[in-house]
Short mmCIF file of all heavy atoms in Angstrom, two decimals:
data_model
loop_
_atom_site.label_atom_id
_atom_site.label_comp_id
_atom_site.label_asym_id
_atom_site.label_seq_id
_atom_site.Cartn_x
_atom_site.Cartn_y
_atom_site.Cartn_z
N LEU A 137 101.88 -34.12 20.96
CA LEU A 137 102.62 -32.95 21.65
C LEU A 137 101.72 -32.42 22.73
O LEU A 137 100.62 -31.79 22.38
CB LEU A 137 102.96 -31.88 20.58
CG LEU A 137 104.07 -30.93 21.04
CD1 LEU A 137 105.45 -31.65 21.54
CD2 LEU A 137 104.43 -29.91 19.93
N ILE A 138 102.01 -32.61 23.95
CA ILE A 138 101.05 -32.48 25.01
C ILE A 138 101.47 -31.10 25.74
O ILE A 138 102.64 -30.95 26.22
CB ILE A 138 101.01 -33.60 26.04
CG1 ILE A 138 100.64 -34.91 25.27
CG2 ILE A 138 100.14 -33.24 27.17
CD1 ILE A 138 100.87 -36.15 26.12
N TYR A 139 100.63 -30.26 25.94
CA TYR A 139 100.88 -28.91 26.61
C TYR A 139 100.05 -28.96 27.96
O TYR A 139 99.00 -29.35 28.09
CB TYR A 139 100.28 -27.76 25.75
CG TYR A 139 101.13 -27.59 24.44
CD1 TYR A 139 100.68 -28.33 23.32
CD2 TYR A 139 102.10 -26.65 24.36
CE1 TYR A 139 101.38 -28.20 22.11
CE2 TYR A 139 102.63 -26.51 23.22
CZ TYR A 139 102.43 -27.24 22.08
OH TYR A 139 103.09 -27.07 20.93
N ARG A 140 100.80 -28.40 28.93
CA ARG A 140 100.18 -28.32 30.33
C ARG A 140 100.39 -26.93 30.91
O ARG A 140 101.53 -26.48 30.86
CB ARG A 140 100.70 -29.41 31.15
CG ARG A 140 100.20 -29.53 32.66
CD ARG A 140 100.80 -30.73 33.22
NE ARG A 140 100.34 -31.90 32.56
CZ ARG A 140 101.24 -32.76 32.06
NH1 ARG A 140 102.52 -32.57 32.07
NH2 ARG A 140 100.76 -33.97 31.43
N LEU A 141 99.41 -26.24 31.38
CA LEU A 141 99.37 -25.01 31.96
C LEU A 141 99.59 -25.39 33.60
O LEU A 141 98.77 -25.79 34.17
CB LEU A 141 98.28 -24.09 31.84
CG LEU A 141 98.20 -22.79 32.50
CD1 LEU A 141 99.37 -21.90 31.97
CD2 LEU A 141 96.86 -22.00 32.12
N LEU A 150 96.24 -21.26 23.23
CA LEU A 150 97.50 -21.59 22.48
C LEU A 150 97.06 -21.51 20.92
O LEU A 150 95.91 -21.83 20.49
CB LEU A 150 97.85 -23.07 22.64
CG LEU A 150 98.55 -23.38 23.94
CD1 LEU A 150 98.77 -24.88 24.09
CD2 LEU A 150 99.91 -22.68 24.01
N LEU A 152 98.52 -22.85 17.55
CA LEU A 152 99.51 -23.85 17.00
C LEU A 152 99.42 -23.87 15.54
O LEU A 152 98.21 -24.33 15.07
CB LEU A 152 99.31 -25.20 17.60
CG LEU A 152 99.26 -25.21 19.11
CD1 LEU A 152 99.02 -26.61 19.62
CD2 LEU A 152 100.63 -24.80 19.72
N ILE A 197 93.08 -32.06 17.74
CA ILE A 197 93.37 -31.47 18.91
C ILE A 197 92.61 -32.28 19.96
O ILE A 197 91.38 -32.56 19.80
CB ILE A 197 92.87 -30.05 19.05
CG1 ILE A 197 93.96 -29.24 18.19
CG2 ILE A 197 92.89 -29.41 20.48
CD1 ILE A 197 95.30 -28.97 18.76
N ASN A 198 93.26 -32.57 21.14
CA ASN A 198 92.47 -33.33 22.31
C ASN A 198 92.70 -32.36 23.37
O ASN A 198 93.81 -32.02 23.81
CB ASN A 198 93.17 -34.69 22.49
CG ASN A 198 92.80 -35.61 21.42
OD1 ASN A 198 91.89 -36.36 21.44
ND2 ASN A 198 93.70 -35.84 20.45
N GLY A 199 91.59 -32.30 24.20
CA GLY A 199 91.56 -31.49 25.43
C GLY A 199 91.44 -29.87 25.14
O GLY A 199 91.82 -29.44 24.16
N GLY A 200 90.66 -29.37 25.97
CA GLY A 200 90.42 -27.87 25.75
C GLY A 200 89.43 -27.66 24.73
O GLY A 200 89.13 -28.50 23.94
N VAL A 238 93.45 -23.24 20.81
CA VAL A 238 92.77 -24.15 21.74
C VAL A 238 93.05 -23.49 23.10
O VAL A 238 94.06 -22.87 23.53
CB VAL A 238 93.40 -25.54 21.77
CG1 VAL A 238 95.04 -25.44 21.98
CG2 VAL A 238 92.92 -26.47 22.86
N ASP A 239 91.93 -23.60 23.98
CA ASP A 239 92.00 -23.05 25.25
C ASP A 239 92.73 -24.03 26.23
O ASP A 239 92.54 -25.26 26.18
CB ASP A 239 90.58 -22.82 25.88
CG ASP A 239 89.84 -21.69 25.18
OD1 ASP A 239 90.60 -20.74 24.63
OD2 ASP A 239 88.63 -21.68 25.00
N LEU A 240 93.53 -23.53 27.17
CA LEU A 240 94.38 -24.31 28.05
C LEU A 240 94.16 -23.66 29.47
O LEU A 240 94.56 -22.66 29.69
CB LEU A 240 95.81 -24.24 27.59
CG LEU A 240 96.85 -25.12 28.42
CD1 LEU A 240 96.44 -26.60 28.30
CD2 LEU A 240 98.19 -24.83 28.01
N HIS A 244 95.32 -28.53 33.43
CA HIS A 244 94.75 -29.37 32.45
C HIS A 244 95.71 -29.46 31.25
O HIS A 244 96.47 -28.65 31.08
CB HIS A 244 93.36 -28.82 32.07
CG HIS A 244 92.34 -28.81 33.01
ND1 HIS A 244 91.63 -29.92 33.44
CD2 HIS A 244 91.91 -27.87 33.79
CE1 HIS A 244 90.89 -29.68 34.46
NE2 HIS A 244 90.92 -28.44 34.69
N ASP A 245 95.44 -30.44 30.43
CA ASP A 245 96.30 -30.66 29.16
C ASP A 245 95.44 -30.37 27.99
O ASP A 245 94.29 -30.54 27.91
CB ASP A 245 96.81 -32.18 29.19
CG ASP A 245 97.69 -32.55 30.21
OD1 ASP A 245 98.14 -31.60 31.06
OD2 ASP A 245 97.94 -33.72 30.48
N ALA A 246 96.24 -29.93 26.97
CA ALA A 246 95.69 -30.05 25.61
C ALA A 246 96.82 -30.65 24.68
O ALA A 246 98.00 -30.41 24.94
CB ALA A 246 95.38 -28.58 25.14
N ALA A 247 96.38 -31.38 23.69
CA ALA A 247 97.48 -31.92 22.97
C ALA A 247 97.20 -31.85 21.28
O ALA A 247 95.99 -32.00 20.98
CB ALA A 247 97.53 -33.46 23.29
N LEU A 248 98.18 -31.77 20.57
CA LEU A 248 98.07 -31.89 19.14
C LEU A 248 98.56 -33.30 18.80
O LEU A 248 99.70 -33.54 19.12
CB LEU A 248 98.96 -30.82 18.49
CG LEU A 248 99.07 -31.09 16.94
CD1 LEU A 248 97.76 -30.72 16.33
CD2 LEU A 248 100.18 -30.03 16.31
N PRO A 263 96.01 -39.03 23.90
CA PRO A 263 97.46 -38.61 24.15
C PRO A 263 97.84 -38.94 25.58
O PRO A 263 98.96 -39.44 25.83
CB PRO A 263 97.43 -37.03 23.96
CG PRO A 263 96.29 -36.89 22.98
CD PRO A 263 95.26 -38.02 23.21
#
Side-chain angles (χ1 to χ4, degrees):
L137 197 56
I138 303 170
Y139 295 82
R140 182 172 297 119
L141 180 59
L150 284 176
L152 306 174
I197 291 284
N198 288 276
V238 57
D239 292 332
L240 185 61
H244 296 282
D245 295 348
L248 172 67

